[in-house]
Each structure stands twice: as structure tokens, then as C-alpha cells.
């Protein structure tokens, strides 16, 4: 054991999962060491075309859309998303206010699902999946159809003739700011930036130069970095549980600066080729995403993806024609073949991976589930202790 007094966790990876685990454990009184190859805790600089590989959580739009994600996710996965929405709100309440998030790090009101008349079939398919989930669990909110007048009242910049549905209770996080905030508010965490973990085994992180860190709990939160570097090795994430190959799914986003274009909530357009969304960010920014390509290419955004995403955005909000393109970014989502999240633990070892396109949506619920499985206090207990 690393310590007889305060338990010590070693976390490989400082993405969404790694930082949230570090934050939770630090506030529960653990000593925590986090290792990540990134140079520091900050979001990568905007505006440059080439980035060193960095956490997918920085690139993500941060949509918390359990209803809309039923398009792809199973109802049990989406149900974890509902749980996470409450948890993110509780976490955000505990984090210090930030100037770059004047309306808070987590927002929850609703989102809109939109379709052009020619794509109504796609909309009906998503709505049917939502209704099927509601048939199993009537607690799920219903998508509310909106007529043209109601749509314009909610989002005055929308193009006419769109079909729309309000998805109540959905939300969004300001991903880059929230990642920085979690790292800044984790007392007693030792961050080892610029270092890579080659193996996570019970009670031990092995770093790239062969150095080892002996801990009470070794946590693998490396996302795609959990794959063995040698392709001849079996693609396992733990010695005891052989799992199929992790793969990266490329996603590209475009940041627009659009002063004067009102956008109040996340919009999702049902589009034949992409799952297009437009997400408002502070500073008159609109994040437009995202392609989903079965490719592990980390090179800059392609012209084709950029054109298709921007054409779709312009078709939803014509006023975006004069928006300025301020940043383009590509990254890889860590995915397993079944596109489901994967949580495993053994004495002295925990691994979470495969969050695919739902990492922000699922992380808090999965972290709570994993920590409870290890006999650690839940966030609710932790909050009661903080208020005692
Ligand atoms: C374009 C795009 C849009 C997205 N939009 C959304 C969205 O709207 N909503 C949503 O819920 N999700 C979204 N996602 C998905 C979400 O970003 C991911 O599911 C989530 O970031 C996965 O979290 P993670 O912590 O497992 O991995 P990551 O966030 O990728 O973090 C992994 C960390 O491990 C580190 N690492 C890698 N190798 C090593 C190593 N050898 N040793 C130590 N550390 C290592 C990396 O540097 C990184 O910091 C999107 C993703 C993309 C790419």
C-alpha cells in the first residue's frame, strides 16, 4: 500500500474522466497523482491549425443531450446521461466562478431538434426512438413539436420552414473552461504534465521511462491512449479482462464568431450526412460540429467537412453568412465496437473507457457508479459533508 493514512490514487489521463476522478477523490480526502502527456492543464490555443494530440474533451461541443442521443445510444446509456445532468449541475455549483463562463459552466434549459422538410424521415426515426424509450420509462420527457411561430419565438434567427421539436431538460457544458476549473479546484492533487503512462496495473502506474508509481488505486482514464503502442500486442485494457480493440472516431468542429446573431440554446439539425449541431458559447461564439468519420487521422479539418458543416449551419441560421471562422479543430473519440462505455474494477485498479460521442454526457454518472462500486462515498455524501 502506498500510504497507511490518506489513500493515494494514481490516475493516467487528465481528460474529462481523469480530471473528474481527481476532483472527486481529492475532495473526498484522497492524495491524488495525475499523469498526462499534455504540457499543462490549459485548453490548447485556439486559432492554430496543428495541435499536439490532446484530450477529446477540449474539442467536444459539450452537448448534454440524452434525448437527441437516443438517435445512436441505447436507452440505458441515455438514462445515465439524465443522471449526469443533475450531477454536472451539482459539481458546477461547487466550482469557483470564472470570467470566461459568465452564465456558469453548466447550463440546462432545453435544446431544439430541427429538420428541413426534405429530411423529415430522419426526424421521424429519432422521434420514434424517443417514443420507444418513453414507452419503457414514462419519466422521460416528450419531444414537444413546435409550429413556425413558436420556433421563431424561441430562436428568432432560425430560417423559415424548418420543422422543430423542443427537447426539455437538455443542457450543455463549457468544456474547455470546465476542464480547467476541475484541475484548478482539486486540492492536493499532484499533476505530472508531459509524462506518459505505458501501463496501468493493480496498485501501479508504469511511466514511459520505466519509472513506477505505487498507489492504493491505479486508474486508467487514458481514452484512446489506453491502447498498447505495439500493434502486435493483444488489444487488452487489463490483464484480467480482454476487451476488443479501442478505436478513434474522428470528429471535426468549426468555431464561428457571430456577434449580433441571437442563439440561445443548442440546436441539432437532422442532416443526411452529419449530426450537425450549433452550440452557443460566451463571447458571441458558436461552436459548429461535428463530423463523425471512422478514421484515426488527427490532421486538420478537411475542406469537405468544413463546407458541409457550414452549409448546414447557414441553412439553419442564414445570418451566419457573415460570421467569421475563428478556429477549426479535429480530434478522436475513444470508442469500443459496441459504442458503449466500459467500466471495470479489480482490487487496486479501475478503468473507464469507450465514452465515444457521449463523454461529457456520461462521465459524472460513470464516475459515481465506479466510485460507489469501490466503496467510496457518492457525490451526495461528499456534499453533505461539505455543508456539515
Ligand atoms: C468533435 C467532438 C465532439 C464531441 N461532442 C461531444 C458532446 O457534444 N457531448 C459529449 O458528451 N461528448 C462529446 N464528445 C465526446 C467526448 O469528448 C469524449 O467522449 C470524452 O472526451 C472522452 O473522455 P476521456 O476522458 O475518456 O478521454 P479524453 O477526453 O480524450 O482524455 C484522455 C486523456 O488521456 C491522456 N492520455 C493519452 N494517452 C496517455 C498516456 N499514455 N498516459 C497518460 N495520459 C494519456 C490524453 O492526453 C487526455 O488528456 C465529442 C468528441 C469530439 C471529438
Amino acid at each position: 500500500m502506498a500510504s497507511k493514512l490518506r489513500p493515494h490514487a494514481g490516475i493516467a489521463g487528465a481528460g474529462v474522466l481523469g480530471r473528474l476522478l481527481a476532483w472527486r477523490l481529492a475532495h473526498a480526502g484522497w492524495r491524488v497523482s495525475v499523469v498526462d502527456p499534455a504540457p499543462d492543464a490549459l485548453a490548447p490555443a485556439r486559432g492554430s491549425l496543428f495541435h499536439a494530440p490532446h484530450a477529446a474533451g477540449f474539442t467536444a461541443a459539450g452537448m448534454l443531450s440524452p434525448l437527441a442521443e437516443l438517435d445512436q445510444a441505447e436507452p440505458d446509456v441515455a438514462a445515465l446521461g439524465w443522471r449526469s445532468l443533475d450531477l454536472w449541475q451539482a459539481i458546477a455549483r461547487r466550482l469557483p466562478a470564472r470570467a470566461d463562463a459568465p452564465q456558469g459552466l453548466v447550463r440546462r434549459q432545453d435544446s431544439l431538434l430541427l429538420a428541413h422538410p426534405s429530411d423529415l424521415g430522419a426526424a421521424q426515426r429519432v422521434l420514434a426512438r424517443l417514443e420507444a424509450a418513453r414507452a419503457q420509462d414514462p419519466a422521460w420527457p416528450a419531444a414537444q413539436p413546435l409550429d413556425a411561430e413558436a420556433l421563431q419565438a424561441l430562436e428568432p434567427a432560425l430560417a423559415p420552414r424548418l420543422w422543430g421539436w423542443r427537447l426539455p431538460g437538455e443542457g450543455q457544458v463549457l468544456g474547455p473552461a470546465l476542464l480547467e476549473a476541475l484541475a484548478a479546484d482539486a486540492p492536493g492533487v499532484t499533476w505530472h504534465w508531459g509524462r506518459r503512462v505505458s501501463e496501468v496495473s493493480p496498485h501501479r502506474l508504469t511511466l514511459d521511462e520505466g519509472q513506477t508509481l505505487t498507489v492504493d488505486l491505479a486508474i486508467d482514464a487514458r481514452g484512446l491512449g489506453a491502447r498498447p503502442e505495439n500493434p502486435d500486442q493483444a488489444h487488452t485494457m487489463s490483464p484480467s479482462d480482454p476487451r476488443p480493440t479501442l478505436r478513434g472516431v474522428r470528429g471535426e468542429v468549426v468555431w464561428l464568431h457571430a456577434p449580433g446573431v441571437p442563439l440561445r440554446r443548442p440546436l441539432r439539425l437532422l442532416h443526411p450526412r452529419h449530426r450537425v449541431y450549433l452550440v452557443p458559447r460566451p463571447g458571441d461564439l458558436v461552436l459548429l460540429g461535428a463530423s463523425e468519420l471512422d478514421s484515426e487521422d488527427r490532421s486538420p479539418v478537411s475542406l469537405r467537412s468544413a463546407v458541409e458543416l457550414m452549409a448546414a449551419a447557414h441553412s439553419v441560421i442564414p445570418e451566419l453568412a457573415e460570421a467569421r471562422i475563428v478556429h477549426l479543430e479535429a480530434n478522436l473519440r475513444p470508442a469500443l465496437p459496441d459504442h458503449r462505455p466500459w467500466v471495470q474494477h479489480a482490487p487496486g485498479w479501475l478503468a473507464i473507457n469507450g465514452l465515444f460521442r457521449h463523454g461529457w454526457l456520461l462521465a459524472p454518472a460513470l464516475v459515481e457508479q465506479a466510485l460507489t462500486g469501490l466503496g467510496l462515498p457518492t457525490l451526495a455524501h461528499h456534499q453533505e459533508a461539505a455543508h456539515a
Side-chain angles (χ1 to χ4, degrees):
M1 286 291 138
S3 158
K4 298 260 180 295
L5 300 170
R6 287 169 71 203
H8 185 191
I11 303 178
V16 184
L17 282 170
R19 291 179 194 225
L20 191 53
L21 282 156
W23 182 85
R24 283 283 285 108
L25 289 166
H27 284 277
W30 284 55
R31 207 151 63 84
V32 183
S33 303
V34 183
V35 185
D36 194 292
D40 54 37
L42 302 178
R46 257 183 244 154
S48 53
L49 277 181
F50 294 93
H51 288 100
H54 56 279
F58 280 117
T59 312
M63 304 259 291
L64 305 178
S65 313
L67 290 171
E69 285 295 315
L70 278 169
D71 181 17
Q72 287 218 313
E74 295 304 317
D76 63 323
V77 173
L80 280 174
W82 279 116
R83 173 89 189 103
S84 288
L85 271 155
D86 292 338
L87 288 166
W88 274 130
Q89 286 184 295
I91 292 163
R93 276 195 293 274
R94 298 222 36 192
L95 292 170
R98 286 175 61 100
D100 56 359
Q103 294 171 38
L105 290 159
V106 177
R107 297 189 211 155
R108 188 173 185 184
Q109 46 180 7
D110 57 15
S111 71
L112 297 185
L113 188 66
L114 302 169
H116 289 291
S118 54
D119 298 326
L120 262 185
Q124 300 301 355
R125 184 175 50 80
V126 176
L127 294 166
R129 280 186 63 91
L130 217 159
E131 276 313 303
R134 268 170 48 74
Q136 281 176 26
D137 183 354
W140 286 71
Q144 300 164 356
L146 300 166
D147 61 21
E149 203 179 329
L151 265 180
Q152 289 293 320
L154 289 175
E155 292 292 346
L158 285 183
R161 289 193 298 279
L162 282 165
W163 287 72
W165 295 262
R166 180 171 170 268
L167 304 181
E170 292 204 332
Q172 68 178 115
V173 296
L174 300 184
L178 183 45
L179 283 169
E180 291 184 4
L182 286 168
D185 183 51
V189 174
T190 308
W191 302 91
H192 301 272
W193 298 113
R195 304 292 303 276
R196 188 175 291 279
V197 173
S198 55
E199 196 183 334
V200 184
S201 47
H203 302 293
R204 179 178 304 174
L205 302 187
T206 306
L207 276 61
D208 39 11
E209 296 89 2
Q211 185 193 340
T212 56
L213 192 62
T214 304
V215 290
D216 297 290
L217 177 62
I219 303 181
D220 193 348
R222 290 176 292 173
L224 210 52
R227 278 196 308 201
E229 276 161 24
N230 177 356
D232 295 335
Q233 277 175 267
H235 280 179
T236 61
M237 295 197 297
S238 96
S240 57
D241 187 295
R243 280 290 290 196
T245 318
L246 258 175
R247 77 184 201 287
V249 178
R250 178 175 160 95
E252 298 156 296
V253 297
V254 179
W255 290 61
L256 302 173
H257 185 229
V261 178
L263 177 62
R264 299 171 182 159
R265 53 176 57 73
L267 309 178
R268 185 180 295 247
L269 177 69
L270 292 157
H271 180 277
R273 278 180 45 79
H274 299 294
R275 294 178 174 83
V276 181
Y277 44 73
L278 294 96
V279 182
R281 288 265 172 100
D284 295 321
L285 292 169
V286 176
L287 195 151
L288 168 60
S291 58
E292 192 175 312
L293 305 164
D294 241 306
S295 156
E296 299 202 350
D297 178 358
R298 285 185 184 267
S299 65
V301 176
S302 72
L303 178 138
R304 176 181 175 152
S305 294
V307 166
E308 287 178 355
L309 289 171
M310 289 192 269
H314 179 240
S315 76
V316 172
I317 301 186
E319 283 179 65
L320 284 177
E322 285 306 316
R324 298 301 189 249
I325 302 160
V326 291
H327 181 60
L328 298 126
E329 189 172 324
N331 212 327
L332 303 180
R333 307 170 177 96
L336 289 163
D338 60 5
H339 288 173
R340 292 177 65 87
W342 181 83
V343 182
Q344 287 288 309
H345 45 79
W349 179 83
L350 167 67
I352 311 182
N353 215 316
L355 269 57
F356 185 41
R357 47 180 287 130
H358 321 293
W360 280 105
L361 178 64
L362 302 181
L366 291 174
V367 164
E368 288 309 295
Q369 205 178 70
L371 295 186
T372 317
L374 290 165
L376 298 177
T378 62
L379 185 65
H381 285 121
H382 158 205
Q383 288 199 309
E384 279 160 22
H387 292 123

